[in-house]
Amino acid sequence: MTSTASPVETETASQRARRARIISATLALASRGGFEAVQMREVAERSEVALGTLYRYFPSKIHLLVSAMGSEVERLSGRLQKRQAPGGTRAERVSFVLERSTRSLQRDPLLTEAMVRAMMAADASVAREVSAIRQGMSDLIVQAMRDGGEPQENDVEIAAILQDVWFARQIAWLGGRIEAADVWRDIHQAIVLVVHD
Amino acid sequence: MTSTASPVETETASQRARRARIISATLALASRGGFEAVQMREVAERSEVALGTLYRYFPSKIHLLVSAMGSEVERLSGRLQKRQAPGGTRAERVSFVLERSTRSLQRDPLLTEAMVRAMMAADASVAREVSAIRQGMSDLIVQAMRDGGEPQENDVEIAAILQDVWFARQIAWLGGRIEAADVWRDIHQAIVLVVHD
DNA sequence: CCAGAAACAGGAACGTGTTCTAGTATGACA
DNA sequence: TGTCATACTAGAACACGTTCCTGTTTCTGG
């Protein structure tokens, strides 16, 4: 139920390695064939782990993919936080960060499909992980807005709205309702309408 | 693939009845047990239809639930469009409409869970139905904004943002990340930040 | 009314996520 | 070092969405 909650972080080296192999296999499969290509038996086989062990580490396919997304977001976030977002206005800086994020994900559409789909399918048992990911993205957006300027009252709420739009547009794209190019157009439109200086 | 596209609307009375029975059984099951309780065999049995026939009418569980949502939204929309939304400002009128919609759905949480989950899981083969539902909700919001006032340039885009937030907050609630009461609080917050007079 | 086509019933069968079982290996501790 | 709990392997088994097959009913054109 709690998954990453209380296990007190006591993991042997071989366990850490196993976990890494699993995530790695997951990313590879997702990247090649999207959500449906991430099949638990296949993940287990590729990471040289028994199916039951895979389920011990990640209690469901959704957990697995959300964790994969976590590691990807962490990577991206680390890269983006290295330096202050460029741009003279709050909207410009937010645009910079979100466009980079969007482009970064769209570079691997199938992987994105797998991860976003998992985020949307997440139920209460993955709430913690999903919240952590949203928190990370929120921090990124808020920081971009504030960089070089003074904080404003509704920064956090605005970041939440942008993130909602961001995910919803990804879903619309995955659901074949809008084109890949429209994703960024819509998100940018939302930034313009929501972020004020 | 096209499902409701070209069949030229030539449906026997008994076919219309079958379709109605299926939707009705779906709503009943969803209402009682949510997404997972809507099992295709059970739906078929309750609507007195063979499994293969169910699949002839609705090519997947997602199609089925999205159609169910369509009929619910149509019902709600008809009720709301009967009279002009009250309120002196654009934000107030939009709040009225969206609060009614939110409350209406939250009155039956399991049904909502089933329908929203299906909307999010929809792939390209249900794009048409999903778009129709979004269009209906968008019309509702835009109309509320404009009622009694003059149209503004970004009405449609603002309605899209609100709808994205609306769905995303439902997902957050279903995913156990926020409480039911917070759903409306967050949506209202977004209205305040996004809708200007 | 008849012949063929389309729709339907009933149910087996398949795929994939998930769970369970039995046996083996590993690590902690006396 | 021996013992015991925990982790792991291998694979069977189960659940539900989906597909497919066979035979029957209903509809439609002539």
Side-chain angles (χ1 to χ4, degrees):
Chain A
M1 293 296 173
T2 45
S3 73
T4 61
S6 30
V8 206
E9 299 294 347
T10 323
E11 245 183 357
T12 40
S14 75
Q15 284 173 326
R16 246 190 314 281
R18 247 186 282 260
R19 187 177 295 273
R21 284 206 310 278
I22 293 172
I23 291 287
S24 168
T26 301
L27 291 173
L29 285 168
S31 184
R32 183 178 330 280
F35 186 87
E36 70 169 14
V38 179
Q39 305 194 350
M40 300 304 269
R41 291 172 179 82
E42 184 74 14
V43 171
E45 191 172 340
R46 294 214 182 189
S47 39
E48 292 177 299
V49 142
L51 189 54
T53 304
L54 172 53
Y55 272 92
R56 170 189 295 274
Y57 281 77
F58 301 95
S60 77
K61 176 171 174 174
I62 300 299
H63 278 81
L64 177 56
L65 281 167
V66 168
S67 296
M69 175 146 197
S71 83
E72 287 296 281
V73 166
E74 206 167 328
R75 214 166 48 85
L76 176 66
S77 167
R79 196 138 44 83
L80 280 173
Q81 281 185 332
K82 280 231 174 70
R83 61 194 183 88
Q84 187 169 311
T89 68
R90 289 156 61 83
E92 280 171 9
R93 290 190 295 273
V94 171
S95 285
F96 176 83
V97 167
L98 286 185
E99 188 185 13
R100 294 273 290 231
S101 307
T102 304
R103 272 223 321 267
S104 172
L105 289 195
Q106 290 200 336
R107 209 171 299 135
D108 201 332
L110 290 171
L111 174 59
T112 304
E113 186 250 4
M115 297 189 308
V116 172
R117 214 170 263 297
M119 288 284 286
M120 292 299 137
D123 69 351
S125 72
V126 249
R128 194 179 309 271
E129 289 87 339
V130 172
S131 292
I133 290 173
R134 275 191 68 101
Q135 185 64 51
M137 291 187 61
S138 178
D139 290 348
L140 218 56
I141 296 171
V142 169
Q143 180 185 325
M145 281 196 288
R146 290 183 175 165
D147 260 359
E150 66 293 333
Q152 289 188 9
E153 197 178 352
N154 290 311
D155 285 351
V156 174
E157 287 78 8
I158 289 174
I161 293 174
L162 289 179
Q163 203 173 154
D164 287 348
V165 171
W166 192 88
F167 269 107
R169 296 294 89 197
Q170 305 287 341
I171 293 286
W173 167 52
L174 298 176
R177 307 202 308 277
I178 64 176
E179 299 297 320
D182 299 335
V183 173
W184 171 243
R185 185 204 57 196
D186 291 355
I187 296 171
H188 183 258
Q189 173 95 60
I191 294 173
V192 170
L193 287 171
V194 167
V195 180
H196 306 106
D197 276 279
Chain B
M1 293 298 170
T2 46
S3 75
T4 63
S6 30
V8 206
E9 299 294 346
T10 323
E11 243 183 0
T12 317
S14 74
Q15 284 174 324
R16 247 191 312 282
R18 247 186 281 261
R19 187 177 295 272
R21 283 206 309 278
I22 293 172
I23 292 286
S24 168
T26 301
L27 291 174
L29 286 169
S31 185
R32 182 176 331 279
F35 187 86
E36 71 169 12
V38 180
Q39 304 195 351
M40 300 305 269
R41 290 174 179 84
E42 184 74 14
V43 172
E45 191 172 340
R46 294 215 181 190
S47 39
E48 292 176 301
V49 142
L51 190 55
T53 304
L54 172 55
Y55 272 93
R56 172 188 295 276
Y57 281 77
F58 301 95
S60 77
K61 176 171 174 174
I62 300 299
H63 279 82
L64 178 56
L65 281 167
V66 168
S67 296
M69 174 145 198
S71 82
E72 287 296 282
V73 166
E74 205 167 327
R75 213 166 50 84
L76 175 67
S77 166
R79 197 139 43 83
L80 280 173
Q81 280 185 331
K82 279 230 175 70
R83 62 194 183 86
Q84 188 169 311
T89 67
R90 289 157 61 83
E92 280 171 11
R93 291 190 296 274
V94 171
S95 285
F96 176 82
V97 167
L98 286 186
E99 188 185 13
R100 294 274 289 231
S101 307
T102 304
R103 273 225 319 269
S104 172
L105 290 195
Q106 289 200 337
R107 208 170 299 134
D108 199 333
L110 290 171
L111 174 58
T112 303
E113 185 250 4
M115 298 189 309
V116 172
R117 215 170 263 296
M119 288 285 286
M120 292 299 136
D123 68 350
S125 73
V126 251
R128 195 179 308 272
E129 289 87 340
V130 172
S131 292
I133 290 172
R134 276 191 67 102
Q135 184 65 51
M137 291 188 60
S138 177
D139 290 348
L140 218 55
I141 297 171
V142 168
Q143 180 185 323
M145 281 196 287
R146 289 183 176 165
D147 261 359
E150 65 295 330
Q152 289 189 11
E153 197 178 352
N154 290 312
D155 285 351
V156 173
E157 287 78 8
I158 289 173
I161 292 174
L162 290 179
Q163 203 173 153
D164 287 347
V165 171
W166 192 88
F167 270 106
R169 296 294 89 197
Q170 304 288 341
I171 292 287
W173 167 51
L174 298 175
R177 307 201 309 276
I178 64 177
E179 298 298 319
D182 299 334
V183 173
W184 171 243
R185 185 204 57 195
D186 290 354
I187 296 171
H188 183 259
Q189 172 97 60
I191 295 174
V192 170
L193 288 171
V194 167
V195 180
H196 305 107
D197 276 280

